Amino acid sequence: MSRFVYFLLISNMTANLIAASPRIFFAKSEEGAIVTMIIALFFGVFMNWALITSFKAFPGKSLPQILSLYLSKWITIPALFILGVIWYVSGLQTLITYIDILLRFLTPEMSVYLVIAMFIPVITFGVIMQSRNILFTLELVFVLAFPAAAYYIVKLYFAEQVSWDHVGIAMTFIDNPPDYTVFTTAIYLFVGAFDIIIFNSFLNKKMTFGIKQALIVFILGAFALFTTYFIPIGVLGFDQVEGIMYPWILTSDSIRMKFGVIERVIFIFLLLFLAIAFLNITIHWHVACKLFQSAFGIEHVKLKLRKKASLIIVVTVFWLIAIYTTLKVTEYDLFLYSKYYFNTIPVVFIGLMILMHVVNRRAKS
Amino acid sequence: MKFLSVSKWFMVVLCMSGLLLQYGCAFKDIDKRLFVSAIGIDPAENIENGYKVTLKVALPFGAIKDSPKPSFAYLSREGQSIGEAIRMLETHVDKVLELGHMKTIVVHEKLLRDDMQSFMDYFIRRGDIELIAYVAGARPSAETILKVEPNTEAPASVSLINFFGTTANDSPYVVTTYLFQLRRDILTDGINPVVPLIETDEKGDELIVNNAVVVDGREDPAVLSTTETKYFNSLLKHSTGFTYLVKEGGLELLLHISQTKMTYQFVPNKGKSAPHAIDMHIGMKGTIGEANKDLSIAKLDEYNRLASKEVKQKIFHFLTKMQEENLDPFGFGLRYRTTRLHTEDTFTTWQQAYPDIEFKVTVDVKLQGTGTIE
């Protein structure tokens, strides 16, 4: 696999750490969260394998290009449109969560409009950037922010504030039957690599997914899931953890680095993860934007001005919906809709895999 | 020639629109804020079930040279709830009360009960109060404790903060309890949180922290004595610098313990799921700090034996005292819950078993030397 695929995968895992997923896990902490996460871990590796192998035959081609080569317009357009919506909502969900977190913890006195207004230029610029540049930005943020983020997360494991007895109690619920919502939420951590449906056009080398790659994805996923679930339980206690809105924010607020540059880890933590979240939103919306462009056939229009105008329309629509929902949605709605959204992921995955299977067969014959 | 392309114009407008929304800087200046350094909570005198909130506000001064002593202002107000009282206190000052730097919550001894949850709620729910703030009990009242200005307090600092968190004071008699930890332990079955108790001397110019309170549902919370606090701290929190006096015949030894390690296991009861005993092993390492006679380094083994016997007795006494009071500051119940798969009655089984449980303590003191002299 190209290194960018790992970057995409890890950025998605990291961004989800403080978004809606931990809350969904904790809500089901007494109803089979652990068993489900173990199942999801294997399924997540399988998903990545299925994705990489299905794209193996088409190095340097994105999904819209592949589909338009082998399938009729009647299937291609709705499929791309649906995928576009899924990718858009994925970015939207992260965006709303982060705006909410910023308002609550970092700048409680700022108006919500101003916070949104700060996001708009940066993300818009990211979305309309060239795909290649987005990958390079991703790499850059990785080099700058990821070592620090990893440092803080590893540091959590050795913090005296983590009570491993509480983690032990969480483990005693291992015999409960699995739960569908937890499953979909957990496999969402693994969908980062699916961004290659667009970025594949820049990954010209033929990719392989063997034992080594599977092992890397497995270890990354196991670490991400373990950290997401158990560390907040260790810090905040098992018995009431389901009542907390942003478990990871409170967790980072509870960690103290006595002689660190700043005693309260939360500020460093928020800023680091904000950078990764920005990136995540940008990537997802960029993919969504490209998918919509292909779905509406804008790629084929020769006139430069019309291309730009349509781009502006896409971006405007993106932001109008985003602003509207950010202002309207309450924390409960966000939780509920995130759940619905996660529940559709397996369906979309199966649909995409069927499409790729058909395309692969036609490409061979 | 076009000056800028459409999309670039669009970007410019987007960026500017953020500026257009602003009237100026959105933040209030630092000189328009008052930094609350500690909050004290007492039961209200005039309102039934109300609280009296006292804020210790740090007053700004131009340069440290100008002010030999730190200066504070104290604001007090009674209210039906904490949040309400603080809201009303905001009307007593000309600036914004900033709680983001508040590091100590001092609670009246009598309020350290289960219903702590109801007023702690305010502190947890507010996003800007740090969860690593220290919580401490106060005797005789939170207000008096807050108003103590010790002579050792340096300008631009607050003594209450230095006591806890082992950044300055590292004494094994001082228990540190963070806000998040208190919440976690109160809401968890199987452990009782322990909170340090701050007292003051008669003149009111010293703060003394060497006792602790075990928070439980009862009206009169159990206060750990100084020695018990030391044991609790060194056994559970591995605090160091712990000294211990051994007397045997005419020999008096002051041990200086630098390392403590406690491990324990439940001894299962035949036929029943509940354990009947706890097998506890405590290992200590240290040196002899003071003695009333000449010591021989060859006889270290004997001193080890003496010390082990004495320490064992004290710890056993402390454990059984907690058991008699049905308190569990060590979290044995919590550990018990982790040892088996969850069922509905795991915890009730434990609750029934705990009063009759037997403690089998073995202490292993390993003295490394007799200090710099024999």
Side-chain angles (χ1 to χ4, degrees):
Chain A
M1 281 203 293
S2 157
R3 67 178 188 282
F4 291 113
V5 182
Y6 292 116
F7 290 165
L8 290 168
L9 191 68
I10 296 172
S11 84
N12 202 51
M13 282 175 179
T14 326
N16 265 293
L17 198 73
I18 25 184
S21 9
R23 247 191 102 199
I24 295 171
F25 292 152
F26 296 137
K28 299 279 179 190
S29 59
E30 297 187 3
E31 290 156 44
I34 297 182
V35 175
T36 323
M37 284 196 291
I38 295 170
I39 299 171
L41 185 56
F42 288 100
F43 191 76
V45 177
F46 164 73
M47 279 167 78
N48 279 290
W49 171 79
L51 173 81
I52 302 294
T53 16
S54 64
F55 270 86
K56 214 166 158 182
F58 313 99
K61 282 207 178 75
S62 68
L63 184 73
Q65 286 165 343
I66 299 169
L67 291 189
S68 61
L69 271 178
Y70 297 104
L71 289 175
S72 91
K73 240 170 47 185
W74 296 104
I75 302 173
T76 310
I77 290 173
L80 290 178
F81 184 76
I82 291 170
L83 286 175
V85 172
I86 292 288
W87 251 265
Y88 173 71
V89 175
S90 162
L92 184 65
Q93 185 222 75
T94 321
L95 178 78
I96 299 176
T97 319
Y98 272 82
I99 289 181
D100 212 29
I101 288 173
L102 273 186
L103 278 176
R104 189 161 302 247
F105 295 99
L106 219 51
T107 57
E109 287 155 24
M110 236 189 207
S111 105
V112 59
Y113 299 98
L114 203 60
V115 176
I116 299 176
M118 276 160 43
F119 272 80
I120 290 177
V122 182
I123 293 178
T124 312
F125 182 68
V127 170
I128 60 176
M129 246 183 344
Q130 280 177 20
S131 302
R132 183 188 295 274
N133 294 352
I134 288 199
L135 286 182
F136 290 148
T137 317
L138 178 67
E139 192 164 27
L140 202 64
V141 172
F142 248 74
V143 172
L144 292 176
F146 196 72
Y151 168 75
Y152 277 103
I153 287 188
V154 171
K155 194 93 182 135
L156 288 177
Y157 280 87
F158 300 101
E160 55 171 331
Q161 282 91 346
V162 180
S163 155
W164 293 97
D165 276 348
H166 285 271
V167 177
I169 292 181
M171 297 267 200
T172 64
F173 287 84
I174 200 164
D175 56 338
N176 295 9
D179 180 271
Y180 181 68
T181 311
V182 176
F183 176 72
T184 54
T185 314
I187 62 170
Y188 184 68
L189 258 72
F190 292 89
V191 302
F194 280 74
D195 292 326
I196 67 163
I197 60 171
I198 290 300
F199 293 117
N200 200 35
S201 45
F202 299 98
L203 310 172
N204 289 322
K205 266 194 205 153
K206 201 166 181 179
M207 286 191 285
T208 47
F209 195 90
I211 298 288
K212 190 181 129 207
Q213 284 81 2
L215 216 63
I216 294 175
V217 175
F218 184 84
I219 291 168
L220 280 176
F223 183 71
L225 279 174
F226 191 89
T227 312
T228 315
Y229 186 68
F230 287 112
I231 294 294
I233 282 182
V235 173
L236 303 169
F238 178 75
D239 288 351
Q240 297 290 326
V241 77
E242 64 270 19
I244 295 169
M245 297 300 295
Y246 296 110
W248 262 97
I249 306 293
L250 291 202
T251 304
S252 62
D253 197 13
S254 305
I255 299 295
R256 170 170 180 256
M257 285 176 92
K258 204 161 53 168
F259 301 122
V261 185
I262 304 176
E263 195 185 12
R264 287 180 82 177
V265 170
I266 183 170
F267 293 115
I268 307 167
F269 199 84
L270 272 179
L271 288 175
L272 277 176
F273 279 80
L274 196 68
I276 293 165
F278 255 126
L279 197 70
N280 199 258
I281 300 166
T282 312
I283 292 169
H284 284 184
W285 278 17
H286 179 79
V287 172
C289 188
K290 288 277 176 197
L291 288 172
F292 284 132
Q293 276 179 26
S294 324
F296 297 124
I298 291 162
E299 297 274 88
H300 308 294
V301 177
K302 285 279 176 289
L303 268 168
K304 217 179 167 189
L305 189 72
R306 253 165 81 182
K307 193 175 170 182
K308 281 199 170 139
S310 57
L311 199 65
I312 289 165
I313 291 165
V314 171
V315 170
T316 324
V317 172
F318 272 28
W319 278 112
L320 280 180
I321 297 173
I323 292 171
Y324 181 77
T325 37
T326 311
L327 296 177
K328 280 281 172 227
V329 158
T330 63
E331 277 164 9
Y332 176 73
D333 292 340
L334 182 64
F335 180 58
L336 200 68
Y337 296 151
S338 302
K339 263 195 337 205
Y340 293 153
Y341 172 70
F342 289 140
N343 284 344
T344 58
I345 296 285
V347 182
V348 177
F349 168 68
I350 292 166
L352 184 65
M353 282 307 117
I354 291 172
L355 270 186
M356 287 312 293
H357 186 67
V358 173
V359 168
N360 266 308
R361 274 180 62 177
R362 289 199 181 175
K364 260 182 209 158
S365 59
Chain B
M1 194 183 88
K2 260 200 293 182
F3 177 55
L4 274 177
S5 69
V6 178
S7 67
K8 284 198 179 131
W9 269 115
F10 181 67
M11 286 301 298
V12 170
V13 172
L14 270 179
C15 293
M16 296 303 284
S17 67
L19 291 176
L20 286 176
L21 287 171
Q22 288 204 350
Y23 306 105
C25 190
F27 301 101
K28 293 193 176 79
D29 280 340
I30 198 161
D31 58 340
K32 298 282 189 291
R33 291 168 186 269
L34 281 176
F35 291 93
V36 177
S37 61
I39 291 185
I41 299 158
D42 287 308
E45 283 150 22
N46 306 320
I47 306 171
E48 209 181 323
N49 289 329
Y51 300 106
K52 183 177 184 189
V53 177
T54 311
L55 303 181
K56 185 167 188 161
V57 181
L59 294 180
F61 43 79
I64 290 189
K65 270 185 262 171
D66 302 344
S67 165
K69 268 195 74 74
S71 44
F72 294 103
Y74 301 94
L75 307 167
S76 286
R77 167 103 196 181
E78 291 190 356
Q80 204 52 253
S81 71
I82 309 283
E84 192 205 345
I86 291 179
R87 279 275 168 244
M88 288 317 289
L89 279 175
E90 281 175 356
T91 64
H92 292 207
V93 286
D94 58 333
K95 302 185 181 73
V96 182
L97 287 176
E98 170 69 46
L99 289 169
H101 290 257
M102 201 272 304
K103 274 213 75 92
T104 324
I105 301 168
V106 182
V107 183
H108 190 282
E109 197 188 358
K110 290 276 174 294
L111 284 175
L112 291 170
R113 289 197 310 255
D114 254 8
D115 61 342
M116 272 187 97
Q117 208 188 324
S118 65
F119 65 78
M120 251 176 26
D121 191 76
Y122 176 75
F123 298 116
I124 305 279
R125 216 175 273 270
R126 266 184 83 118
D128 61 340
I129 290 182
E130 46 193 296
L131 287 177
I132 49 171
Y134 310 117
V135 185
R139 182 190 275 175
S141 77
E143 196 181 354
T144 33
I145 293 298
L146 282 195
K147 286 190 175 167
V148 173
E149 291 182 7
N151 295 329
T152 53
E153 200 165 48
S157 85
V158 187
S159 298
L160 279 171
I161 294 173
N162 284 340
F163 266 108
F164 307 109
T166 68
T167 38
N169 186 321
D170 212 348
S171 164
Y173 293 97
V174 180
V175 180
T176 301
T177 307
Y178 300 105
L179 183 60
F180 82 90
Q181 200 183 351
L182 183 69
R183 175 186 182 276
R184 174 178 81 193
D185 292 351
I186 282 186
L187 296 177
T188 304
D189 292 331
I191 188 166
N192 291 117
V194 177
V195 174
L197 184 67
I198 311 178
E199 288 159 288
T200 176
D201 65 342
E202 277 160 26
K203 276 190 286 175
D205 58 0
E206 258 178 36
L207 291 171
I208 303 163
V209 189
N210 54 25
N211 290 337
V213 181
V214 185
V215 179
D216 191 27
R218 61 192 70 190
E219 197 65 17
D220 236 355
V223 178
L224 299 183
S225 72
T226 310
T227 327
E228 287 164 350
T229 309
K230 177 179 76 180
Y231 276 112
F232 171 77
N233 231 355
S234 56
L235 290 182
L236 198 67
K237 314 241 164 153
H238 311 293
S239 67
T240 55
F242 151 66
T243 56
Y244 183 67
L245 190 67
V246 178
K247 279 185 202 164
E248 170 84 17
L251 184 68
E252 275 184 26
L253 296 174
L254 189 75
L255 308 181
H256 204 83
I257 304 293
S258 58
Q259 207 181 324
T260 324
K261 205 177 166 192
M262 176 185 76
T263 49
Y264 61 88
Q265 274 150 2
F266 297 103
V267 181
N269 207 345
K270 273 176 212 143
K272 276 192 223 160
S273 60
H276 78 98
I278 290 176
D279 212 347
M280 188 182 266
H281 180 82
I282 296 157
M284 288 179 171
K285 272 186 190 167
T287 51
I288 295 176
E290 198 183 339
N292 63 344
K293 286 183 182 167
D294 278 352
L295 300 172
S296 160
I297 194 128
K299 280 164 90 184
L300 267 184
D301 274 348
E302 199 191 321
Y303 304 141
N304 280 343
R305 198 180 46 78
L306 283 180
S308 303
K309 211 176 90 191
E310 288 260 350
V311 173
K312 180 185 163 182
Q313 231 171 37
K314 292 276 168 156
I315 288 173
F316 184 74
H317 179 76
F318 175 40
L319 290 173
T320 40
K321 189 189 159 192
M322 286 296 108
Q323 190 186 18
E324 274 160 28
E325 301 224 26
N326 206 9
L327 294 172
D328 191 0
F330 287 99
F332 294 127
L334 188 69
R335 180 68 63 83
Y336 175 75
R337 286 174 67 197
T338 66
T339 55
R340 54 218 62 230
L341 286 182
H342 177 80
T343 52
E344 283 287 303
D345 47 55
T346 309
F347 188 58
T348 33
T349 318
W350 167 255
Q351 275 177 317
Q352 282 156 5
Y354 183 54
D356 307 318
I357 234 161
E358 193 189 328
F359 290 103
K360 290 178 181 165
V361 187
T362 50
V363 180
D364 195 11
V365 179
K366 278 208 176 77
L367 295 171
Q368 309 274 314
T370 53
T372 52
I373 47 171
E374 233 187 306

